[in-house]
């Protein structure tokens, strides 16, 4: 059966990196018989410029009826002065929330070819393979009340609410334990239970859910310590379970362990496994349009789509192997460049990966 993929390039480098993932997709169709059709839609600043909203109704409708979604990036300096309600980021947050994509998987893997690209010492990061599982539709990102007001002293005041219901914690915890089960059976839940009641509940509920998974070793860590441990000894982790905000921060930190933020893919899944796939990095307005962005995180996101939404481990691995082959051949975009490498731009990196994929047939 033909699968329908909604393609949302978004802003900044988004269209450039998505174009490379689509080349990979075309190759999978031509060489390995994948039956996928794609349909583009607007999101973020591009959607705001064209329609006055960062999340048009047509985009919501398409993503609801598509089997899966591939997204580039949203945001940019151009839209920073807009009201919050129409900022490009609202498009992405709206999509996550409307489709209930609560489980965000952010694997941080250091490919051996990129050990030198990491800012950390080789012995600290080589062989790194951790999974950050971030809750994506709750917490302080969506909690109410939120806003800005003038307080009784006549001062401006800003406020947000960190709130999680038991059921929200429970469902993400289950996913965490299930992922850990398929990996090295270790789950570290990150919280700030010494200060925040909401995360004290988080810890309590995670412990309760853990009773159903006696084969998984559960540990807990305060978020400040977790940030430190990620750069001190990241290989101690297997799966890290975090709330929305902590996961946002820790996954950027973990990205640097893998050489560059341009390397990290992500999957955001609903309870049926339908997903949105996007690189974890932003729209990088400073390098947009220059053809130098790293497309690997987006291409690896496509591999995650194959694995998690379509249960196609064989083709997921093919794509990942093609990325490794391109790295082995010495191709490097600017963010992962090193001495003696073949420095290439976005399109050449995409072509090198496609060539490796084709050669693997
Ligand atoms: C991410 C991004 C987003 C987030 C932004 C673009 C809204 O930083 O996916 O990590 O904060 O979740
Ligand atoms: Mg982020």
């Amino acid at each position: 059966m033909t699968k329908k993929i909604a393609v949302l390039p978004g802003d900044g480098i988004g269209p450039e990196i998505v174009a490379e993932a689509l080349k990979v997709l075309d190759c999978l169709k031509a060489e390995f018989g994948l039956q996928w059709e794609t349909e583009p839609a607007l999101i973020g600043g591009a959607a705001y410029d064209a329609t006055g909203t960062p999340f048009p109704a047509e985009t919501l409708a398409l993503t609801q009826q598509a089997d899966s979604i591939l997204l580039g990036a949203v945001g940019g300096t151009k839209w920073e002065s807009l009201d919050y309600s129409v900022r490009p980021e609202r498009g992405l947050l709206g999509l996550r929330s409307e489709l209930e994509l609560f489980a965000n998987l952010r694997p941080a893997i250091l490919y051996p070819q990129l050990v030198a690209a990491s800012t950390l010492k080789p012995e600290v990061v080589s062989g790194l393979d951790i999974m950050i599982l971030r809750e994506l539709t709750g917490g302080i990102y969506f909690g109410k009340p939120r806003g800005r007001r003038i307080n009784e002293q006549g001062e401006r005041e800003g406020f947000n609410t960190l709130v999680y219901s038991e059921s929200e914690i429970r469902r993400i915890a289950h996913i965490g334990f299930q992922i850990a089960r398929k990996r090295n059976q270790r789950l570290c839940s990150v919280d700030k239970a010494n200060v925040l009641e909401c995360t004290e509940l988080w810890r309590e509920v995670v412990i309760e859910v853990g009773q159903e998974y006696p084969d998984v070793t559960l540990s807990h860590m305060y978020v400040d310590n977790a940030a430190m441990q990620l750069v001190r000894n990241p290989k101690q982790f297997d799966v890290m379970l975090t709330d929305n905000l902590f996961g946002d921060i820790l996954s950027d930190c973990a990205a640097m362990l893998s050489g560059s933020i341009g390397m990290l893919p992500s999957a955001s899944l609903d309870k049926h496994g339908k997903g949105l796939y996007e690189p974890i990095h932003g729209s990088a307005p400073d390098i947009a349009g220059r053809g130098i962005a790293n497309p690997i995180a987006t291409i690896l996101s496509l591999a995650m789509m194959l694995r998690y939404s379509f249960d196609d481990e064989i083709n997921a691995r093919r794509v990942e192997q093609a990325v490794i082959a391109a790295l082995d051949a010495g191709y490097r975009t600017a963010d992962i460049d090193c001495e003696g490498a073949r420095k290439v731009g976005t399109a050449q990196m995409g072509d090198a990966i496609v060539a490796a994929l084709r050669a693997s047939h």
Side-chain angles (χ1 to χ4, degrees), residues 210-231:
Q211 284 160 2
E212 295 174 46
Y213 302 86
D215 49 324
V216 175
T217 307
L218 172 64
S219 61
H220 306 272
M221 203 179 266
Y222 296 141
V223 63
D224 47 352
N225 186 25
M228 181 175 75
Q229 296 301 332
L230 264 180
V231 288

Side-chain angles (χ1 to χ4, degrees), residues 25 33-35 58 64 84 97 100 114 120 159 162 166 189 196-197 204 206 224 243-244 257 268 288 294 330-331 361:
L25 178 55
L34 235 73
Q35 299 200 321
E58 302 83 67
Q64 277 168 333
Y84 252 83
S97 163
E100 278 197 76
L114 297 186
L120 276 84
F159 55 100
L162 172 60
E166 199 179 333
S189 171
L196 305 171
E197 288 85 348
E204 236 170 76
V206 172
D224 47 352
D243 82 353
N244 204 341
L257 309 173
S268 308
N294 185 350
Y331 293 103
H361 198 181

Side-chain angles (χ1 to χ4, degrees), residues 106-117:
R106 301 190 159 191
I109 294 172
L110 176 64
Y111 291 105
Q113 298 85 347
L114 297 186
V115 172

Side-chain angles (χ1 to χ4, degrees), residues 10-316:
D11 309 320
I13 58 169
E16 300 165 47
I17 52 179
V18 164
E20 300 313 309
L22 292 181
K23 281 187 197 165
V24 172
L25 178 55
D26 283 340
C27 177
L28 286 168
K29 284 161 72 174
E31 305 283 330
F32 302 101
L34 235 73
Q35 299 200 321
W36 285 12
E37 61 177 47
T38 56
E39 193 171 329
L42 291 167
I43 191 128
Y48 175 80
D49 286 349
T51 69
T53 159
F55 189 29
E58 302 83 67
T59 301
L60 173 61
L62 173 68
T63 53
Q64 277 168 333
Q65 92 24 232
D67 295 296
S68 193
I69 305 148
L70 181 69
L71 187 139
V74 297
T77 32
K78 183 179 169 195
W79 301 284
E80 265 165 18
S81 56
L82 289 178
D83 186 76
Y84 252 83
S85 60
V86 288
R87 289 260 188 101
E89 290 77 6
R90 299 313 307 173
L92 177 57
L93 296 170
L95 188 57
R96 290 172 178 173
S97 163
E98 287 288 336
L99 269 57
E100 278 197 76
L101 305 168
F102 69 94
N104 183 215
L105 281 60
R106 301 190 159 191
I109 294 172
L110 176 64
Y111 291 105
Q113 298 85 347
L114 297 186
V115 172
S118 176
T119 47
L120 276 84
K121 291 188 191 132
E123 61 269 28
V124 175
V125 287
S126 62
L128 181 84
D129 179 354
I130 63 180
M131 174 70 88
I132 296 184
L133 176 64
R134 169 185 177 197
E135 199 292 328
L136 202 59
T137 52
I140 201 164
Y141 269 55
F142 295 95
K144 290 196 176 113
R146 63 185 298 155
R148 294 169 62 134
R149 62 190 166 208
I150 304 292
N151 70 12
E152 280 168 12
Q153 287 73 42
E155 257 194 301
R156 284 173 301 164
E157 199 171 72
F159 55 100
N160 291 88
T161 303
L162 172 60
V163 55
Y164 271 109
S165 68
E166 199 179 333
S167 59
E168 284 177 303
I169 304 169
R170 207 171 281 284
R171 68 178 179 178
I172 192 73
H174 274 290
I175 306 277
F177 283 104
Q178 285 157 16
I179 292 174
R181 216 171 225 180
K182 291 197 196 140
R183 293 173 48 104
N184 295 315
Q185 295 86 41
R186 284 184 294 116
L187 181 69
C188 177
S189 171
V190 176
D191 60 44
K192 188 72 186 173
N194 51 343
V195 178
L196 305 171
E197 288 85 348
C198 179
T199 75
E200 185 184 38
L201 176 70
W202 176 281
R203 187 179 287 215
E204 236 170 76
V205 175
V206 172
I207 291 173
E208 286 163 22
V209 173
Q211 284 160 2
E212 295 174 46
Y213 302 86
D215 49 324
V216 175
T217 307
L218 172 64
S219 61
H220 306 272
M221 203 179 266
Y222 296 141
V223 63
D224 47 352
N225 186 25
M228 181 175 75
Q229 296 301 332
L230 264 180
V231 288
R232 193 185 79 91
N233 176 20
K235 286 186 271 180
Q236 71 185 280
F237 297 111
D238 178 18
V239 182
M240 292 177 97
L241 170 65
T242 78
D243 82 353
N244 204 341
L245 181 62
F246 297 163
D248 179 46
I249 299 165
L250 294 179
S251 60
D252 266 32
C253 182
M256 279 323 291
L257 309 173
S258 67
S260 161
I261 196 162
M263 294 298 297
L264 253 69
S266 81
S268 308
L269 306 175
D270 74 2
K271 63 177 178 203
H272 306 293
K274 172 168 168 173
L276 161 73
Y277 296 83
E278 55 169 330
I280 80 151
H281 60 69
S283 60
D286 53 326
I287 58 162
R290 292 171 52 197
I292 60 169
N294 185 350
I296 291 182
T298 317
I299 291 170
L300 291 174
S301 298
L302 187 67
M304 288 189 87
M305 182 188 294
L306 285 156
R307 172 170 300 125
Y308 291 102
S309 283
F310 302 130
D311 207 17
D312 186 353
E313 185 62 28
I314 294 179
N315 282 313

